[in-house]
Amino acid sequence: MSETDVLWTVQDVSDFLRVPVATIYQWRVRHEGPQAMRIGRHLRFDPETVRAWSREQLEVV
């Protein structure tokens, strides 16, 4: 399995974006931030979606 096949956890996204985990959850409540999927009771992120979202944020500023 390649790195792109692995889904990220909230902690992985937090580490990548260098923001607190609580910020990721706040973004979810506000419908902001990168899209996630729920697998059972776990929140998972596609790394490419997170990277694309972060690039979009640079374009907005």
Side-chain angles (χ1 to χ4, degrees):
M1 181 179 270
S2 71
E3 183 176 303
T4 58
D5 293 333
V6 176
L7 296 174
W8 285 358
T9 64
V10 174
Q11 185 63 54
D12 294 331
V13 175
S14 171
D15 293 343
F16 177 76
L17 296 175
R18 296 178 190 246
V19 298
V21 168
T23 299
I24 306 294
Y25 286 115
Q26 288 173 0
W27 288 343
R28 291 235 347 129
V29 169
R30 297 179 190 160
H31 303 284
E32 301 172 2
Q35 287 187 340
M37 63 188 89
R38 193 158 285 287
I39 299 177
R41 61 184 186 157
H42 303 284
L43 199 57
R44 294 293 181 259
F45 297 81
D46 176 5
E48 194 50 45
T49 301
V50 176
R51 288 184 183 103
W53 177 85
S54 67
R55 285 189 298 270
E56 289 171 10
Q57 301 315 297
L58 289 173
E59 296 170 2
V60 171
V61 174

